């Protein structure tokens, strides 16, 4: 983030780079867990699907809440003003 923000702003392209780096990091860890499970002759637990589903629901809820805040900001009234 420091290297991408040297010009004084983080734009859409910088955000895509950061998200891509985060996804690569997560995929690296998932690969490492799967590799160690194969070495220990273990299978994946069924709760992993539950966790992924909850993660998706939470991500969608966060998306909706951020969209709601942009509507409040666009109204230029604020939340606590009448």
């Amino acid at each position: 983030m420091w290297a991408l923000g040297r010009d004084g702003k983080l734009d859409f392209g910088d955000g895509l780079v950061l998200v891509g780096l985060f996804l690569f990091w997560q995929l690296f860890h998932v690969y490492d867990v799967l590799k160690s499970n194969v070495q220990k002759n273990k299978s994946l637990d069924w709760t992993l699907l539950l966790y992924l589903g909850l993660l998706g629901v939470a991500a969608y809820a966060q998306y909706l809440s951020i969209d709601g805040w942009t509507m409040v900001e666009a109204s230029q009234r604020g939340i606590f003003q009448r």
Side-chain angles (χ1 to χ4, degrees):
M1 190 164 173
W2 171 77
L4 292 172
R6 284 186 300 176
D7 59 353
K9 61 183 174 84
L10 291 173
D11 59 2
F12 184 75
D14 295 339
L16 287 178
V17 169
L18 291 172
V19 169
L21 186 62
F22 173 76
L23 290 176
F24 171 75
W25 185 254
Q26 293 302 311
L27 287 175
F28 177 76
H29 283 288
V30 168
Y31 172 76
D32 190 42
V33 168
L34 290 175
K35 184 176 71 170
S36 68
N37 281 349
V38 167
Q39 290 173 348
K40 295 177 185 177
N41 202 16
K42 294 168 77 176
S43 63
L44 289 177
D45 197 11
W46 66 271
T47 57
L48 179 64
L49 292 176
L50 176 68
Y51 293 148
L52 288 174
L54 288 173
L55 180 67
V57 168
Y60 186 68
Q62 184 176 5
Y63 168 75
L64 290 178
S65 69
I66 289 172
D67 192 38
W69 276 109
T70 56
M71 285 187 277
V72 169
E73 186 179 89
S75 71
Q76 297 181 1
R77 281 190 355 213
I79 301 173
F80 302 111
Q81 298 175 356
R82 291 184 181 214

Coordinates of all heavy atoms in Angstrom, one line a residue:
M1 N 0.8 -1.2 0.0 CA 0.0 0.0 0.0 C 0.9 1.2 0.0 O 0.6 2.2 -0.7 CB -0.9 0.0 1.2 CG -2.0 1.0 1.2 SD -3.2 0.5 2.4 CE -4.2 1.9 2.4
W2 N 2.0 1.2 0.7 CA 2.9 2.3 0.8 C 3.4 2.6 -0.6 O 3.5 3.8 -1.0 CB 4.0 2.1 1.8 CG 5.1 3.1 1.8 CD1 5.0 4.3 2.3 CD2 6.3 3.0 1.2 NE1 6.2 5.0 2.0 CE2 7.0 4.2 1.4 CE3 7.0 1.9 0.5 CZ2 8.3 4.3 0.9 CZ3 8.2 2.1 0.0 CH2 8.9 3.3 0.2
A3 N 3.8 1.6 -1.3 CA 4.4 1.8 -2.6 C 3.4 2.3 -3.6 O 3.7 3.1 -4.5 CB 5.0 0.4 -3.1
L4 N 2.2 1.8 -3.5 CA 1.1 2.2 -4.5 C 0.6 3.6 -4.2 O 0.1 4.3 -5.0 CB -0.1 1.2 -4.4 CG 0.2 -0.2 -5.0 CD1 -1.0 -1.1 -4.7 CD2 0.5 -0.1 -6.4
G5 N 0.8 4.1 -2.9 CA 0.3 5.4 -2.6 C 1.3 6.5 -2.6 O 1.1 7.5 -2.0
R6 N 2.5 6.2 -3.2 CA 3.5 7.2 -3.2 C 3.1 8.5 -4.0 O 3.6 9.6 -3.7 CB 4.8 6.7 -3.9 CG 5.6 5.7 -3.0 CD 6.8 5.3 -3.6 NE 6.5 4.6 -4.9 CZ 7.4 4.2 -5.7 NH1 8.7 4.4 -5.5 NH2 7.0 3.6 -6.8
D7 N 2.2 8.3 -4.9 CA 1.7 9.5 -5.7 C 0.7 10.3 -4.9 O 0.2 11.3 -5.4 CB 1.2 9.1 -7.0 CG 0.0 8.1 -7.0 OD1 -0.3 7.6 -5.9 OD2 -0.5 7.8 -8.0
G8 N 0.3 9.9 -3.7 CA -0.6 10.6 -2.9 C -2.1 10.2 -3.0 O -2.9 10.8 -2.4
K9 N -2.4 9.2 -3.8 CA -3.7 8.7 -3.9 C -3.7 7.2 -4.3 O -2.8 6.7 -4.9 CB -4.5 9.5 -5.0 CG -3.9 9.4 -6.4 CD -4.7 10.3 -7.4 CE -4.1 10.2 -8.7 NZ -4.4 9.1 -9.6
L10 N -4.8 6.6 -3.9 CA -5.0 5.2 -4.2 C -6.2 5.2 -5.2 O -7.3 5.5 -4.8 CB -5.3 4.3 -3.0 CG -4.2 4.1 -2.1 CD1 -4.6 3.4 -0.8 CD2 -3.1 3.3 -2.7
D11 N -6.0 4.8 -6.4 CA -7.1 4.8 -7.4 C -7.6 3.4 -7.6 O -7.2 2.4 -6.9 CB -6.7 5.5 -8.7 CG -5.5 4.8 -9.3 OD1 -5.0 3.8 -8.8 OD2 -5.1 5.3 -10.4
F12 N -8.5 3.2 -8.6 CA -9.1 1.9 -8.8 C -8.1 0.8 -9.2 O -8.1 -0.3 -8.7 CB -10.1 2.0 -9.9 CG -10.9 0.8 -10.2 CD1 -11.9 0.4 -9.3 CD2 -10.6 0.0 -11.3 CE1 -12.6 -0.8 -9.6 CE2 -11.3 -1.1 -11.6 CZ -12.3 -1.5 -10.7
G13 N -7.1 1.2 -10.0 CA -6.1 0.2 -10.4 C -5.2 -0.2 -9.2 O -4.9 -1.4 -9.1
D14 N -4.9 0.7 -8.3 CA -4.2 0.4 -7.1 C -5.0 -0.6 -6.2 O -4.5 -1.5 -5.6 CB -3.8 1.6 -6.3 CG -2.9 2.5 -7.0 OD1 -2.2 2.1 -7.9 OD2 -2.8 3.7 -6.6
G15 N -6.3 -0.4 -6.1 CA -7.2 -1.2 -5.4 C -7.2 -2.6 -6.0 O -7.2 -3.6 -5.2
L16 N -7.2 -2.7 -7.3 CA -7.2 -4.0 -7.9 C -5.9 -4.8 -7.7 O -5.9 -6.0 -7.4 CB -7.4 -3.9 -9.5 CG -8.8 -3.5 -9.9 CD1 -8.8 -3.4 -11.4 CD2 -9.8 -4.6 -9.5
V17 N -4.8 -4.1 -7.6 CA -3.5 -4.7 -7.3 C -3.6 -5.2 -5.9 O -3.1 -6.4 -5.6 CB -2.4 -3.7 -7.5 CG1 -1.1 -4.2 -6.9 CG2 -2.2 -3.4 -9.0
L18 N -4.1 -4.5 -4.9 CA -4.2 -4.9 -3.5 C -5.1 -6.1 -3.4 O -4.8 -7.0 -2.6 CB -4.6 -3.7 -2.7 CG -3.6 -2.6 -2.5 CD1 -4.2 -1.4 -1.8 CD2 -2.3 -3.1 -1.8
V19 N -6.2 -6.1 -4.0 CA -7.2 -7.2 -4.0 C -6.5 -8.5 -4.6 O -6.6 -9.6 -4.0 CB -8.5 -6.9 -4.6 CG1 -9.4 -8.1 -4.8 CG2 -9.2 -5.8 -3.8
G20 N -5.9 -8.3 -5.7 CA -5.2 -9.4 -6.3 C -4.1 -10.0 -5.5 O -3.9 -11.2 -5.4
L21 N -3.3 -9.2 -4.8 CA -2.3 -9.6 -3.9 C -2.9 -10.4 -2.7 O -2.4 -11.4 -2.3 CB -1.5 -8.4 -3.4 CG -0.3 -8.7 -2.5 CD1 0.7 -9.6 -3.3 CD2 0.3 -7.5 -2.0
F22 N -4.0 -9.9 -2.2 CA -4.7 -10.6 -1.1 C -5.2 -11.9 -1.5 O -5.1 -12.9 -0.8 CB -5.9 -9.7 -0.6 CG -6.8 -10.4 0.4 CD1 -6.3 -10.5 1.7 CD2 -8.0 -10.9 0.1 CE1 -7.1 -11.2 2.7 CE2 -8.8 -11.5 1.0 CZ -8.3 -11.7 2.3
L23 N -5.9 -12.0 -2.7 CA -6.4 -13.3 -3.2 C -5.2 -14.3 -3.4 O -5.4 -15.5 -3.1 CB -7.2 -13.1 -4.5 CG -8.5 -12.4 -4.3 CD1 -9.2 -12.2 -5.6 CD2 -9.4 -13.2 -3.4
F24 N -4.1 -13.8 -4.0 CA -2.9 -14.7 -4.2 C -2.5 -15.2 -2.8 O -2.2 -16.4 -2.7 CB -1.8 -14.0 -4.9 CG -0.5 -14.7 -4.9 CD1 -0.4 -15.8 -5.8 CD2 0.5 -14.4 -4.1 CE1 0.8 -16.5 -5.8 CE2 1.7 -15.1 -4.1 CZ 1.8 -16.2 -5.0
W25 N -2.4 -14.4 -1.8 CA -2.0 -14.8 -0.5 C -2.9 -15.8 0.1 O -2.5 -16.8 0.7 CB -1.9 -13.6 0.4 CG -1.3 -13.9 1.8 CD1 -2.0 -13.9 3.0 CD2 0.0 -14.1 2.1 NE1 -1.2 -14.2 4.0 CE2 0.1 -14.3 3.5 CE3 1.2 -14.2 1.3 CZ2 1.3 -14.6 4.1 CZ3 2.4 -14.4 2.0 CH2 2.4 -14.6 3.4
Q26 N -4.2 -15.6 -0.1 CA -5.2 -16.6 0.4 C -5.1 -17.9 -0.3 O -5.2 -19.0 0.3 CB -6.6 -16.0 0.4 CG -6.8 -14.9 1.3 CD -6.6 -15.2 2.7 OE1 -7.1 -16.2 3.2 NE2 -5.8 -14.4 3.4
L27 N -4.9 -17.9 -1.6 CA -4.8 -19.1 -2.4 C -3.5 -19.9 -2.0 O -3.5 -21.1 -2.0 CB -4.8 -18.8 -3.9 CG -6.2 -18.4 -4.5 CD1 -6.0 -18.0 -5.9 CD2 -7.2 -19.6 -4.3
F28 N -2.5 -19.2 -1.7 CA -1.2 -19.8 -1.3 C -1.5 -20.6 0.0 O -1.0 -21.7 0.2 CB -0.2 -18.7 -1.1 CG 1.1 -19.3 -0.6 CD1 2.0 -20.0 -1.4 CD2 1.5 -19.1 0.8 CE1 3.2 -20.5 -0.9 CE2 2.7 -19.6 1.3 CZ 3.5 -20.3 0.4
H29 N -2.2 -20.0 0.9 CA -2.5 -20.7 2.2 C -3.4 -21.8 2.0 O -3.3 -22.9 2.7 CB -3.0 -19.7 3.3 CG -1.9 -18.8 3.8 ND1 -1.0 -19.3 4.7 CD2 -1.6 -17.5 3.6 CE1 -0.1 -18.3 5.0 NE2 -0.5 -17.2 4.4
V30 N -4.4 -21.7 1.2 CA -5.3 -22.8 0.9 C -4.6 -24.0 0.3 O -4.7 -25.1 0.7 CB -6.5 -22.4 0.0 CG1 -7.3 -23.6 -0.5 CG2 -7.4 -21.4 0.8
Y31 N -3.7 -23.7 -0.6 CA -2.8 -24.7 -1.2 C -2.0 -25.4 -0.2 O -1.8 -26.7 -0.2 CB -2.0 -24.1 -2.3 CG -1.0 -25.1 -2.9 CD1 -1.3 -26.1 -3.7 CD2 0.4 -25.0 -2.5 CE1 -0.4 -27.0 -4.2 CE2 1.3 -25.9 -3.0 CZ 0.9 -26.9 -3.9 OH 1.8 -27.8 -4.3
D32 N -1.4 -24.6 0.7 CA -0.6 -25.2 1.8 C -1.4 -26.1 2.7 O -0.9 -27.2 3.1 CB 0.1 -24.1 2.6 CG 1.2 -24.6 3.5 OD1 2.0 -25.5 3.1 OD2 1.3 -24.1 4.6
V33 N -2.6 -25.7 3.1 CA -3.4 -26.6 3.9 C -3.8 -27.8 3.2 O -3.8 -28.9 3.8 CB -4.7 -25.8 4.4 CG1 -5.7 -26.7 5.0 CG2 -4.3 -24.7 5.4
L34 N -4.2 -27.7 1.9 CA -4.5 -28.9 1.2 C -3.4 -29.9 1.0 O -3.5 -31.1 1.1 CB -5.1 -28.5 -0.2 CG -6.4 -27.8 -0.2 CD1 -6.8 -27.4 -1.6 CD2 -7.5 -28.8 0.3
K35 N -2.2 -29.3 0.8 CA -1.0 -30.1 0.7 C -0.7 -30.9 2.0 O -0.4 -32.1 2.0 CB 0.2 -29.3 0.3 CG 1.5 -30.0 0.1 CD 2.6 -29.1 -0.4 CE 3.0 -28.3 0.8 NZ 4.3 -27.5 0.6
S36 N -0.8 -30.2 3.1 CA -0.6 -30.9 4.4 C -1.6 -31.9 4.7 O -1.4 -32.9 5.4 CB -0.4 -29.8 5.6 OG -1.7 -29.2 5.8
N37 N -2.9 -31.6 4.3 CA -4.0 -32.6 4.5 C -3.7 -33.9 3.7 O -4.0 -35.0 4.2 CB -5.3 -32.0 4.1 CG -5.9 -31.2 5.2 OD1 -5.4 -31.1 6.3 ND2 -6.9 -30.4 4.8
V38 N -3.2 -33.7 2.5 CA -2.8 -34.9 1.7 C -1.7 -35.7 2.3 O -1.7 -36.9 2.4 CB -2.5 -34.5 0.2 CG1 -1.8 -35.6 -0.5 CG2 -3.7 -34.0 -0.5
Q39 N -0.7 -35.0 2.9 CA 0.4 -35.7 3.5 C 0.0 -36.4 4.8 O 0.5 -37.5 5.1 CB 1.5 -34.7 3.9 CG 2.2 -34.1 2.7 CD 3.2 -33.0 3.0 OE1 3.2 -32.5 4.1 NE2 4.0 -32.6 2.1
K40 N -1.0 -35.9 5.5 CA -1.5 -36.6 6.7 C -2.7 -37.5 6.4 O -3.3 -38.1 7.3 CB -2.0 -35.5 7.7 CG -0.9 -34.6 8.2 CD -1.4 -33.6 9.1 CE -0.3 -32.7 9.6 NZ -0.8 -31.6 10.4
N41 N -3.1 -37.6 5.1 CA -4.2 -38.5 4.7 C -5.5 -38.1 5.3 O -6.2 -38.9 5.8 CB -3.8 -40.0 4.9 CG -4.6 -40.9 4.1 OD1 -5.2 -40.5 3.1 ND2 -4.7 -42.2 4.4
K42 N -5.8 -36.8 5.3 CA -7.0 -36.3 5.9 C -7.8 -35.7 4.8 O -7.3 -35.3 3.8 CB -6.7 -35.2 6.9 CG -6.0 -35.7 8.2 CD -5.5 -34.5 9.0 CE -6.6 -33.9 9.8 NZ -6.1 -32.8 10.7
S43 N -9.1 -35.6 5.0 CA -10.0 -35.0 4.0 C -10.5 -33.7 4.6 O -10.4 -33.4 5.7 CB -11.2 -35.9 3.6 OG -12.0 -36.1 4.8
L44 N -11.2 -32.9 3.7 CA -11.7 -31.6 4.1 C -12.9 -31.8 4.9 O -13.7 -32.7 4.7 CB -12.0 -30.7 2.9 CG -10.9 -30.2 2.1 CD1 -11.3 -29.4 0.9 CD2 -10.0 -29.3 3.0
D45 N -13.1 -30.9 5.9 CA -14.3 -31.0 6.8 C -15.5 -30.4 6.1 O -15.4 -29.4 5.3 CB -14.0 -30.3 8.1 CG -14.9 -30.6 9.2 OD1 -15.7 -31.6 9.0 OD2 -14.9 -29.9 10.2
W46 N -16.7 -30.8 6.3 CA -17.9 -30.3 5.7 C -18.2 -28.9 6.1 O -18.9 -28.1 5.5 CB -19.1 -31.2 6.0 CG -19.5 -31.2 7.4 CD1 -19.0 -32.1 8.4 CD2 -20.4 -30.4 8.1 NE1 -19.6 -31.8 9.6 CE2 -20.5 -30.8 9.4 CE3 -21.2 -29.3 7.7 CZ2 -21.3 -30.1 10.4 CZ3 -22.0 -28.7 8.6 CH2 -22.0 -29.1 9.9
T47 N -17.7 -28.5 7.3 CA -18.0 -27.1 7.8 C -17.3 -26.1 6.9 O -17.7 -24.9 7.0 CB -17.5 -27.0 9.3 OG1 -16.1 -27.3 9.4 CG2 -18.3 -27.9 10.2
L48 N -16.3 -26.5 6.1 CA -15.7 -25.5 5.2 C -16.7 -24.9 4.3 O -16.6 -23.7 4.1 CB -14.5 -26.2 4.4 CG -13.8 -25.3 3.5 CD1 -13.0 -24.2 4.2 CD2 -12.8 -26.1 2.6
L49 N -17.6 -25.7 3.8 CA -18.7 -25.1 2.9 C -19.5 -24.1 3.7 O -20.0 -23.1 3.1 CB -19.5 -26.2 2.3 CG -18.8 -27.1 1.3 CD1 -19.7 -28.2 0.8 CD2 -18.3 -26.3 0.1
L50 N -19.8 -24.5 4.9 CA -20.6 -23.6 5.8 C -19.9 -22.3 6.0 O -20.5 -21.2 5.9 CB -21.0 -24.2 7.1 CG -21.7 -23.4 8.1 CD1 -23.1 -23.1 7.7 CD2 -21.7 -24.1 9.5
Y51 N -18.6 -22.3 6.3 CA -17.8 -21.1 6.5 C -17.8 -20.3 5.2 O -17.9 -19.0 5.3 CB -16.4 -21.4 7.0 CG -16.4 -22.1 8.3 CD1 -15.4 -23.0 8.6 CD2 -17.3 -21.7 9.3 CE1 -15.3 -23.6 9.9 CE2 -17.2 -22.3 10.6 CZ -16.2 -23.2 10.9 OH -16.2 -23.7 12.1
L52 N -17.6 -20.9 4.1 CA -17.6 -20.2 2.8 C -18.9 -19.5 2.5 O -18.9 -18.4 2.0 CB -17.1 -21.1 1.7 CG -15.7 -21.5 1.6 CD1 -15.5 -22.5 0.5 CD2 -14.8 -20.3 1.5
G53 N -20.0 -20.2 2.8 CA -21.3 -19.6 2.7 C -21.5 -18.4 3.6 O -22.0 -17.4 3.1
L54 N -21.1 -18.5 4.8 CA -21.2 -17.4 5.8 C -20.4 -16.2 5.3 O -20.8 -15.1 5.5 CB -20.9 -17.8 7.2 CG -21.9 -18.7 7.9 CD1 -21.3 -19.2 9.2 CD2 -23.2 -18.0 8.1
L55 N -19.2 -16.5 4.8 CA -18.3 -15.5 4.3 C -19.0 -14.7 3.1 O -18.9 -13.5 3.0 CB -17.0 -16.1 3.9 CG -16.0 -15.1 3.3 CD1 -15.5 -14.1 4.4 CD2 -14.8 -15.8 2.7
G56 N -19.6 -15.5 2.2 CA -20.3 -14.8 1.1 C -21.5 -14.0 1.6 O -21.7 -12.9 1.1
V57 N -22.3 -14.5 2.5 CA -23.4 -13.7 3.1 C -22.8 -12.4 3.7 O -23.4 -11.3 3.6 CB -24.2 -14.5 4.1 CG1 -25.2 -13.7 4.8 CG2 -24.9 -15.6 3.3
A58 N -21.8 -12.5 4.5 CA -21.2 -11.3 5.2 C -20.6 -10.3 4.2 O -20.8 -9.1 4.3 CB -20.1 -11.8 6.1
A59 N -20.0 -10.8 3.1 CA -19.5 -9.9 2.1 C -20.6 -9.2 1.4 O -20.5 -8.0 1.1 CB -18.7 -10.7 1.1
Y60 N -21.7 -9.9 1.1 CA -22.9 -9.2 0.5 C -23.5 -8.2 1.4 O -23.9 -7.1 0.9 CB -23.9 -10.3 0.0 CG -25.0 -9.7 -0.8 CD1 -24.8 -9.2 -2.1 CD2 -26.3 -9.7 -0.3 CE1 -25.8 -8.6 -2.8 CE2 -27.3 -9.1 -1.0 CZ -27.1 -8.6 -2.3 OH -28.1 -8.1 -3.0
A61 N -23.6 -8.5 2.7 CA -24.2 -7.6 3.6 C -23.3 -6.3 3.7 O -23.8 -5.2 3.8 CB -24.3 -8.2 5.0
Q62 N -22.0 -6.5 3.7 CA -21.1 -5.4 3.7 C -21.2 -4.5 2.5 O -21.2 -3.3 2.5 CB -19.6 -5.8 3.9 CG -18.7 -4.7 4.0 CD -17.3 -5.2 4.3 OE1 -17.0 -6.3 4.3 NE2 -16.4 -4.2 4.5
Y63 N -21.4 -5.2 1.3 CA -21.6 -4.5 0.1 C -22.9 -3.6 0.1 O -22.9 -2.4 -0.3 CB -21.7 -5.5 -1.1 CG -22.2 -4.8 -2.4 CD1 -21.3 -4.0 -3.1 CD2 -23.4 -5.1 -2.8 CE1 -21.8 -3.5 -4.3 CE2 -23.9 -4.5 -4.0 CZ -23.1 -3.7 -4.7 OH -23.5 -3.2 -5.9
L64 N -23.9 -4.2 0.7 CA -25.2 -3.4 0.8 C -25.1 -2.3 1.8 O -25.6 -1.2 1.5 CB -26.3 -4.4 1.2 CG -26.8 -5.4 0.2 CD1 -27.9 -6.3 0.8 CD2 -27.3 -4.7 -1.0
S65 N -24.3 -2.5 2.9 CA -24.2 -1.4 3.8 C -23.3 -0.2 3.3 O -23.6 0.9 3.5 CB -23.6 -1.9 5.1 OG -22.2 -2.3 4.9
I66 N -22.3 -0.6 2.5 CA -21.5 0.5 1.9 C -22.3 1.2 0.9 O -22.2 2.5 0.8 CB -20.2 -0.1 1.3 CG1 -19.3 -0.6 2.4 CG2 -19.5 0.9 0.4 CD1 -18.1 -1.4 1.9
D67 N -23.1 0.5 0.1 CA -24.0 1.2 -0.9 C -25.0 2.1 -0.2 O -25.3 3.2 -0.7 CB -24.7 0.1 -1.7 CG -25.4 0.7 -2.9 OD1 -24.8 1.7 -3.5 OD2 -26.5 0.3 -3.3
G68 N -25.5 1.7 1.0 CA -26.4 2.6 1.7 C -25.7 3.8 2.2 O -26.3 4.9 2.2
W69 N -24.5 3.7 2.6 CA -23.7 4.9 3.1 C -23.5 5.9 2.0 O -23.5 7.1 2.2 CB -22.4 4.5 3.8 CG -22.6 4.2 5.2 CD1 -22.5 2.9 5.7 CD2 -22.9 5.0 6.3 NE1 -22.7 3.0 7.1 CE2 -23.0 4.3 7.4 CE3 -23.2 6.4 6.4 CZ2 -23.3 4.8 8.7 CZ3 -23.5 6.9 7.6 CH2 -23.5 6.1 8.7
T70 N -23.2 5.4 0.8 CA -23.0 6.3 -0.4 C -24.3 7.0 -0.7 O -24.3 8.2 -1.1 CB -22.5 5.5 -1.6 OG1 -23.4 4.5 -2.0 CG2 -21.1 5.0 -1.4
M71 N -25.5 6.4 -0.5 CA -26.7 7.1 -0.7 C -26.9 8.2 0.3 O -27.4 9.3 0.0 CB -27.9 6.1 -0.7 CG -28.0 5.3 -1.9 SD -29.5 4.3 -2.0 CE -29.0 2.9 -1.0
V72 N -26.5 7.9 1.6 CA -26.6 8.9 2.6 C -25.7 10.1 2.3 O -26.1 11.3 2.5 CB -26.3 8.3 4.0 CG1 -26.2 9.4 5.1 CG2 -27.4 7.4 4.4
E73 N -24.5 9.8 1.9 CA -23.5 10.8 1.5 C -24.0 11.6 0.4 O -23.8 12.9 0.3 CB -22.2 10.2 1.2 CG -21.1 11.1 1.0 CD -19.8 10.4 0.8 OE1 -19.5 10.1 -0.4 OE2 -19.1 10.1 1.7
A74 N -24.6 11.0 -0.6 CA -25.1 11.7 -1.8 C -26.3 12.7 -1.5 O -26.5 13.7 -2.2 CB -25.5 10.7 -2.9
S75 N -27.0 12.4 -0.4 CA -28.2 13.2 -0.1 C -27.7 14.6 0.5 O -28.4 15.5 0.6 CB -29.1 12.5 0.9 OG -28.5 12.4 2.1
Q76 N -26.5 14.6 1.0 CA -25.8 15.8 1.5 C -26.6 16.4 2.7 O -26.4 17.5 3.1 CB -25.6 16.9 0.5 CG -24.7 16.5 -0.6 CD -24.6 17.6 -1.7 OE1 -25.1 18.7 -1.5 NE2 -23.8 17.3 -2.7
R77 N -27.4 15.5 3.4 CA -28.1 15.9 4.6 C -27.4 15.3 5.8 O -27.5 15.9 6.9 CB -29.5 15.5 4.5 CG -30.4 16.3 3.7 CD -31.9 16.0 3.9 NE -32.1 14.8 4.8 CZ -33.1 13.9 4.7 NH1 -33.9 14.1 3.7 NH2 -33.2 12.9 5.5
G78 N -26.8 14.2 5.6 CA -26.3 13.4 6.7 C -27.4 12.6 7.4 O -28.5 12.6 6.9
I79 N -27.0 11.9 8.4 CA -27.9 11.0 9.1 C -28.7 11.7 10.2 O -29.8 11.5 10.4 CB -27.2 9.8 9.7 CG1 -26.4 9.0 8.6 CG2 -28.1 8.8 10.4 CD1 -25.5 8.0 9.1
F80 N -28.0 12.5 10.9 CA -28.5 13.1 12.2 C -29.1 14.5 12.0 O -29.6 15.1 12.9 CB -27.4 13.1 13.2 CG -26.8 11.8 13.5 CD1 -25.5 11.5 13.1 CD2 -27.6 10.8 14.1 CE1 -25.0 10.2 13.4 CE2 -27.0 9.6 14.4 CZ -25.7 9.3 14.0
Q81 N -29.1 15.0 10.8 CA -29.7 16.3 10.5 C -31.1 16.1 10.0 O -31.5 15.1 9.4 CB -28.9 17.0 9.5 CG -27.5 17.3 10.0 CD -26.6 17.9 8.9 OE1 -27.1 18.1 7.8 NE2 -25.4 18.3 9.3
R82 N -32.0 17.1 10.3 CA -33.4 17.0 9.8 C -33.6 17.9 8.6 O -33.1 18.9 8.3 CB -34.3 17.5 10.9 CG -34.3 16.5 12.0 CD -35.3 16.9 13.0 NE -35.3 15.9 14.1 CZ -36.3 15.5 14.7 NH1 -37.5 16.0 14.5 NH2 -36.2 14.6 15.7

